[in-house]
Amino acid sequence: MEYGIQPLKKTLDSKYKAYEKYRKEMTFSNEIKQRLDFLISQSSSFVDFQKKLPLLNLQGDFFTNSGKLKKYATYKLLDFPQQRAKRDNTLNKNGDYLLKNLEEKFKQNEVVLSENEIIEGYEKIKRDVFVLPDVEIVIEPWQISQQDEDFIYFTFDYGIKNQGEVRIHKSQFLTQDNGNYKLQLKHSDFFLLVDSEHQSKSRFIKSSVLVEQLTSDNLRPATKFYSARKEFIFALDSLNFLAQKDIHTGDQVEKYFSVMKSKLKDSSEAIENVEHKIEAVVEQYKYKTPSLEVKKKLEGLYLQNEELKNLHNEITKTIDQVEQISEYSLGHKERLQYHSGHKQNQKKIQKL
């Protein structure tokens, strides 16, 4: 102030407030979709769906003042500080949440959770599926520029000789025994990059951009958690619910079975893609010594390949089991459950 320079704090605070508002809007959309995905799969009709919405703190607006069904429904979270309701056609480009498409989905649900079972069922799915990150990276202490009670800050280089700062809430970090951190991110995450010298250059950056710099700085490969795993676990949990109700055949079982088969195909294609990348790197450095950066890249590819093969094997075994149990159940009335080795495989991957 002595030299006529205005303090930056107010500007920075306003940037962060805008960022927090944006993050909340992103959170609202994702949270609404997660709850709707579960409720749609556990509703027998549109009336049943309406009754179950408040159980997960969702408010739906479907009718005009005259009682006619609206063209677009709107949804609002009652346990979040959401100001404006989200319209169904803005939640998904494929129209999965449009009113005209819901009735057909309800018809596929032969057996659903009762109103008394909804909350417990959703909490289980949330623990098993929705909280899973898309990517996890190792952060070494020297990469952190500062930290306070709630946030960890990173210095970020971008463009030509431009530098800014990114802050991430500590809830997204896991502390390791060796002093390092594990940062867990979702593809939908955005972060505010604040340029302290040129406020006009501040911008939002995707989590993929952040991952690229942080991993290139410490040469530690990122661990990817493929979306196929989340969809596989969701289908597996749904099949187990049906198994508990003595249902091992029918349209509802076939729906989740089809999801598994499609994830099996996805994992096969992903394995083939990663193996091509490995072959290309190995061939390139066949007659010369690779740099440390190349070695780390190759290490990351091998880890991805291992993760995908484990996922592929899990899905294959589960599909075989579903087919065997479905055939067995045609002549028997027993409660059978499907099992997946994903927990054991995760331990093996972590050890590796």
Side-chain angles (χ1 to χ4, degrees):
M1 293 183 70
E2 182 180 347
Y3 288 92
I5 300 172
Q6 294 298 317
L8 295 173
K9 188 176 188 308
K10 186 175 180 180
T11 309
L12 286 174
D13 282 350
S14 64
K15 286 284 184 181
Y16 278 128
K17 285 176 182 176
Y19 165 64
E20 293 300 335
K21 182 180 178 182
Y22 177 80
R23 282 293 299 275
K24 283 178 181 178
E25 286 298 321
M26 292 292 292
T27 302
F28 296 155
S29 296
N30 290 332
E31 189 69 30
I32 289 171
K33 286 192 288 185
Q34 287 177 5
R35 298 184 192 189
L36 285 178
D37 285 340
F38 179 75
L39 288 172
I40 291 169
S41 71
Q42 296 299 332
S43 297
S44 58
S45 65
F46 183 61
V47 174
D48 187 37
F49 174 67
Q50 287 179 273
K51 288 180 180 178
K52 289 174 177 175
L53 280 172
L55 299 174
L56 296 188
N57 289 308
L58 261 180
Q59 181 182 4
D61 186 8
F62 308 107
F63 301 98
T64 63
N65 293 333
S66 60
K68 291 183 179 180
L69 197 65
K70 291 182 176 180
K71 183 178 180 181
Y72 299 110
T74 57
Y75 297 97
K76 189 175 180 181
L77 295 162
L78 300 178
D79 55 342
F80 277 69
Q82 183 183 352
Q83 299 299 320
R84 297 178 59 186
K86 297 290 291 184
R87 212 160 69 167
D88 55 6
N89 65 326
T90 64
L91 294 171
N92 179 281
K93 293 181 180 179
N94 300 325
D96 291 337
Y97 306 102
L98 294 178
L99 286 175
K100 63 180 182 180
N101 298 331
L102 293 185
E103 199 61 50
E104 192 59 38
K105 294 185 178 184
F106 297 145
K107 289 178 182 178
Q108 298 173 7
N109 301 332
E110 299 170 41
V111 177
V112 297
L113 289 170
S114 67
E115 291 183 40
N116 294 332
E117 298 170 314
I118 281 290
I119 296 175
E120 184 181 349
Y122 179 70
E123 289 301 321
K124 184 180 187 309
I125 287 290
K126 195 170 183 179
R127 288 193 304 269
D128 290 353
V129 182
F130 296 147
V131 298
L132 293 177
D134 295 314
V135 64
E136 184 179 80
I137 59 175
V138 175
I139 302 295
E140 297 179 9
W142 61 266
Q143 293 179 275
I144 298 171
S145 59
Q146 61 171 314
Q147 57 179 303
D148 55 33
E149 187 177 346
D150 299 314
F151 294 93
I152 288 179
Y153 298 78
F154 299 94
T155 301
F156 195 90
D157 298 317
Y158 67 100
I160 301 175
K161 296 182 179 179
N162 291 324
Q163 196 173 73
E165 192 171 55
V166 175
R167 75 171 186 176
I168 304 175
H169 199 272
K170 286 186 174 179
S171 61
Q172 292 184 250
F173 293 86
L174 299 175
T175 306
Q176 303 301 111
D177 293 336
N178 59 3
N180 293 337
Y181 296 89
K182 279 191 175 180
L183 171 59
Q184 297 184 328
L185 300 167
K186 291 183 178 293
H187 295 319
S188 58
D189 285 344
F190 280 77
F191 300 96
L192 180 65
L193 170 63
V194 177
D195 190 315
S196 56
E197 293 185 8
H198 308 284
Q199 293 296 296
S200 60
K201 293 183 179 180
S202 297
R203 65 194 66 187
F204 290 108
I205 59 171
K206 293 181 180 180
S207 60
S208 58
V209 176
L210 184 66
V211 168
E212 185 178 352
Q213 172 162 316
L214 292 175
T215 53
S216 63
D217 286 345
N218 64 15
L219 299 179
R220 290 179 176 270
T223 302
K224 294 182 180 178
F225 299 94
Y226 293 90
S227 59
R229 175 175 291 284
K230 296 182 181 181
E231 295 174 61
F232 161 65
I233 295 173
F234 187 93
L236 181 62
D237 280 357
S238 301
L239 283 170
N240 272 322
F241 160 69
L242 295 173
Q244 290 166 5
K245 303 291 183 181
D246 293 330
I247 295 176
H248 305 282
T249 58
D251 292 341
Q252 207 168 357
V253 170
E254 186 57 39
K255 179 177 72 173
Y256 296 118
F257 189 53
S258 297
V259 170
M260 286 191 171
K261 287 191 284 189
S262 69
K263 296 310 115 185
L264 188 67
K265 181 182 177 183
D266 291 347
S267 63
S268 295
E269 292 174 352
I271 289 170
E272 188 176 346
N273 184 40
V274 171
E275 287 182 344
H276 283 323
K277 290 180 179 179
I278 291 172
E279 289 173 7
V281 174
V282 171
E283 184 63 30
Q284 184 180 357
Y285 291 91
K286 191 174 181 179
Y287 301 108
K288 56 183 177 180
T289 304
S291 64
L292 180 60
E293 185 176 355
V294 173
K295 288 180 180 178
K296 289 291 184 180
K297 178 183 178 181
L298 197 57
E299 179 186 343
L301 289 171
Y302 278 123
L303 285 172
Q304 287 180 37
N305 199 31
E306 185 72 21
E307 161 71 11
L308 283 166
K309 285 183 176 179
N310 285 331
L311 174 60
H312 186 81
N313 290 335
E314 288 169 41
I315 299 173
T316 302
K317 289 177 183 177
T318 307
I319 286 175
D320 291 342
Q321 194 180 16
V322 172
E323 289 177 331
Q324 290 170 13
I325 289 178
S326 296
E327 291 175 3
Y328 179 82
S329 68
L330 291 174
H332 299 75
K333 292 272 186 178
E334 287 188 23
R335 288 192 175 183
L336 304 169
Q337 287 206 8
Y338 313 110
H339 299 282
S340 167
H342 71 274
K343 290 183 179 178
Q344 291 88 341
N345 284 329
Q346 283 176 352
K347 289 180 181 178
K348 289 179 182 176
I349 293 167
Q350 196 157 2
K351 185 178 180 183
L352 178 65

